[in-house]
Amino acid sequence: MKNRIILFVSLLFLIGCSSNNSGSDETLKLQIEVLTKENKELKETVEALKYPASDRLAHIKSLISENKFNEARSEMDKLKELFPMSDEAKEIDIQSDIIKTKEEEIKVEEARIKALGFKVLKEETTAQVGYNKITIGNFSIAQTFTYDSYDSRYFYNTADRGNKYISFRITITSSDKDPKLPMIWAYSVDGDQLKLIDNFILRFARWEDYGTYLGNYSDNGNDFSKTATIAFKVGLEASDEILRNPIVILLGKSNCMSRSYERFRNPPISYLSSDCDRLEILTIEDIKEKFVVVKILNKNKL
């Protein structure tokens, strides 16, 4: 490399001394361009060689463990190019075999999941969504959906003829004093996809008394700035026909429901879902990425 730099400087000097010979100038300029390119390549090679083969192999193994096979292959090619005679280069074939084995295992698992369909989904009774921990209670399918209890009274919705409510109690423990909350959805099974039925409506489970329900004064038990854990009721009305088939109930992995206050509404506090993405169709891959399965109704019919 030292010799190339000396030659590079000498050529620059010659150009300065040969202003009357245009042909020689062009030749020298061309040689300088070539040397400049080679000098750049040499510098890049030196920088690459500063990253030793042992570290490169360790990084390759890490990529393989994370199933980042394309990145691993790219790093393997660089290792063989820069350190062809190293012990690490000799191990590349072993790592290639490991990648092939893992890729085959992944294909087999994907085929197994596809063959089983939604039977492979596992129900969870607790889930962590960001700063919120959600605990799922017992499910009920009935003509009414009750919520906003106080003293010995409560409010309720009655399903239309031919319909019923799916409802259950959830508790949310949050480390945030003004958290957004995740939404819960119901989907029906349609071949190898899920089709959206609707989202569950979210209501407070209980109020201290009728005055707090009306908003005449605050209920510390329903305010995350005062308490870490609040109980809610969720409900969804569906037809008896839908309820006879498998239904997958999913908790979103994003906190998208915002606390709202409207003085003349009863109760004045509620959670709105304007920021929640509404996905009409889901695959198993979508579920794994974006949801937690909290219940599968009529699972025996899958």
Side-chain angles (χ1 to χ4, degrees):
M1 180 185 287
K2 184 177 179 181
N3 292 336
R4 289 179 182 274
I5 293 172
I6 293 172
L7 177 59
F8 179 70
V9 173
S10 300
L11 287 169
L12 287 175
F13 177 76
L14 287 171
I15 285 178
C17 297
S18 58
S19 57
N20 294 326
N21 192 334
S22 59
S24 298
D25 285 352
E26 290 302 321
T27 301
L28 289 171
K29 286 180 181 178
L30 181 60
Q31 289 177 331
I32 287 174
E33 289 177 2
V34 172
L35 286 171
T36 300
K37 181 180 178 182
E38 290 180 354
N39 190 48
K40 181 182 177 183
E41 291 173 350
L42 283 169
K43 286 182 178 180
E44 291 174 350
T45 301
V46 169
E47 286 300 315
L49 291 172
K50 287 181 181 179
Y51 184 18
S54 57
D55 290 352
R56 290 178 181 273
L57 181 61
H59 182 50
I60 289 166
K61 290 179 178 179
S62 176
L63 290 172
I64 293 172
S65 69
E66 297 171 9
N67 293 344
K68 297 178 179 178
F69 303 134
N70 289 335
E71 293 180 44
R73 287 190 176 101
S74 177
E75 291 297 322
M76 289 158 64
D77 290 340
K78 291 178 184 177
L79 194 158
K80 287 195 295 184
E81 178 184 350
L82 293 168
F83 304 94
M85 305 304 294
S86 66
D87 291 338
E88 288 80 6
K90 296 174 185 177
E91 197 175 328
I92 292 302
D93 289 340
I94 296 173
Q95 299 306 316
S96 295
D97 290 340
I98 291 173
I99 290 176
K100 291 177 182 177
T101 300
K102 293 193 73 171
E103 286 179 330
E104 286 300 320
E105 289 173 351
I106 290 171
K107 287 181 181 179
V108 170
E109 178 64 11
E110 288 175 348
R112 184 185 73 85
I113 290 173
K114 187 173 182 180
L116 288 173
F118 296 103
K119 291 181 180 179
V120 300
L121 297 177
K122 182 182 178 183
E123 299 172 339
E124 304 287 349
T125 57
T126 61
Q128 190 73 38
V129 180
Y131 42 61
N132 296 325
K133 179 183 178 182
I134 298 89
T135 303
I136 307 297
N138 294 327
F139 283 73
S140 171
I141 298 178
Q143 199 67 32
T144 58
F145 165 47
T146 63
Y147 52 90
D148 285 335
S149 300
Y150 64 90
D151 300 329
S152 59
R153 301 186 179 186
Y154 54 84
F155 289 85
Y156 65 92
N157 291 358
T158 302
D160 293 343
R161 287 186 302 163
N163 292 355
K164 288 186 178 64
Y165 270 98
I166 308 169
S167 64
F168 54 100
R169 180 186 179 96
I170 66 171
T171 57
I172 299 178
T173 300
S174 183
S175 60
D176 194 288
K177 292 183 179 181
D178 185 23
K180 290 186 177 183
L181 306 182
M183 176 160 277
I184 299 175
W185 309 82
Y187 284 81
S188 60
V189 177
D190 183 16
D192 61 351
Q193 295 179 324
L194 294 184
K195 183 179 295 184
L196 178 65
I197 299 172
D198 210 340
N199 63 276
F200 282 78
I201 57 175
L202 180 74
R203 298 289 184 266
F204 287 96
R206 189 169 188 83
W207 297 87
E208 186 177 341
D209 53 34
Y210 188 52
T212 55
Y213 166 78
L214 292 175
N216 294 337
Y217 50 94
S218 63
D219 185 341
N220 290 343
N222 283 341
D223 186 345
F224 280 109
S225 69
K226 307 296 183 184
T227 184
T229 302
I230 296 177
F232 296 89
K233 296 288 290 293
V234 297
L236 178 144
E237 184 176 359
S239 69
D240 290 340
E241 181 181 357
I242 289 175
L243 291 169
R244 283 192 287 268
N245 297 313
I247 296 174
V248 181
I249 298 175
L250 303 173
L251 172 72
K253 288 184 179 179
S254 64
N255 293 304
C256 57
M257 300 181 69
S258 303
R259 182 181 173 94
S260 173
Y261 179 84
E262 188 176 319
R263 179 65 188 89
F264 298 105
R265 182 178 54 201
N266 291 329
I269 300 169
S270 62
Y271 280 86
L272 303 180
S273 59
S274 57
D275 293 335
C276 300
D277 292 333
R278 187 180 179 89
L279 304 176
E280 298 292 335
I281 300 293
L282 297 178
T283 63
I284 289 180
E285 288 72 25
D286 294 328
I287 296 170
K288 291 179 179 179
E289 179 183 354
K290 299 176 181 179
F291 298 94
V292 176
V293 180
V294 297
K295 188 69 176 178
I296 302 176
L297 302 175
N298 302 317
K299 190 173 183 178
N300 61 309
K301 296 183 180 180
L302 286 174

